[in-house]
Amino acid sequence: MLKELENLFHLARDRKKNPIKGSYTNKLLTNKTLSKAKVLEEINELIESVEQSSNKTHEAADVLYHLAIYLEANDIKIEEIMCELEKRKK
């Protein structure tokens, strides 16, 4: 299960280092305005899907994908996020 999430972050890093022409991921990595808009859009769609009890898994996957790409585009490393979460444990 966590392997897929790890693969997502590896994909984001790899596409940033080795762009593929025409790749949607690369478009998000290079256009921070678009990336931000997509994260906000997908979060709103997830909230709506939860409230309507439909497509929750699909919308949650969209949020995770777009958030991972947004983080990479802005040089926010998942490892640093995990360390911060570890510090918050009580």
Side-chain angles (χ1 to χ4, degrees), residues 4-14 16 25 28-29 35 38-39 43 60-78 81:
E4 291 304 319
L5 195 54
E6 186 178 345
N7 288 343
L8 176 58
F9 283 95
H10 284 298
L11 169 74
R13 287 182 185 164
D14 184 59
K16 190 173 181 182
T25 299
L28 292 170
L29 286 167
S35 185
K38 290 302 292 181
V39 168
I43 288 173
D62 284 350
V63 168
L64 287 176
Y65 166 77
H66 286 90
L67 181 59
I69 303 307
Y70 179 81
L71 293 172
E72 185 62 33
N74 289 283
D75 298 316
I76 303 168
K77 302 301 179 205
I78 189 65
I81 295 168

Side-chain angles (χ1 to χ4, degrees), residues 5-87:
L5 195 54
E6 186 178 345
N7 288 343
L8 176 58
F9 283 95
H10 284 298
L11 169 74
R13 287 182 185 164
D14 184 59
R15 289 289 169 85
K16 190 173 181 182
K17 291 177 187 174
N18 305 299
I20 295 176
K21 186 176 181 177
S23 163
Y24 177 64
T25 299
N26 281 117
K27 186 174 181 180
L28 292 170
L29 286 167
T30 57
N31 185 335
K32 291 182 183 182
T33 302
L34 175 63
S35 185
K36 175 184 172 183
K38 290 302 292 181
V39 168
L40 293 170
E41 174 187 329
E42 297 302 340
I43 288 173
N44 283 324
E45 288 179 6
L46 174 60
I47 292 167
E48 288 176 18
S49 72
V50 168
E51 291 172 350
Q52 297 172 3
S53 193
S54 66
N55 297 320
K56 295 180 283 188
T57 303
H58 176 87
E59 296 302 341
D62 284 350
V63 168
L64 287 176
Y65 166 77
H66 286 90
L67 181 59
I69 303 307
Y70 179 81
L71 293 172
E72 185 62 33
N74 289 283
D75 298 316
I76 303 168
K77 302 301 179 205
I78 189 65
E79 295 85 356
E80 294 171 3
I81 295 168
M82 294 298 107
C83 287
E84 179 62 27
L85 289 172
E86 183 66 27
K87 290 179 197 174

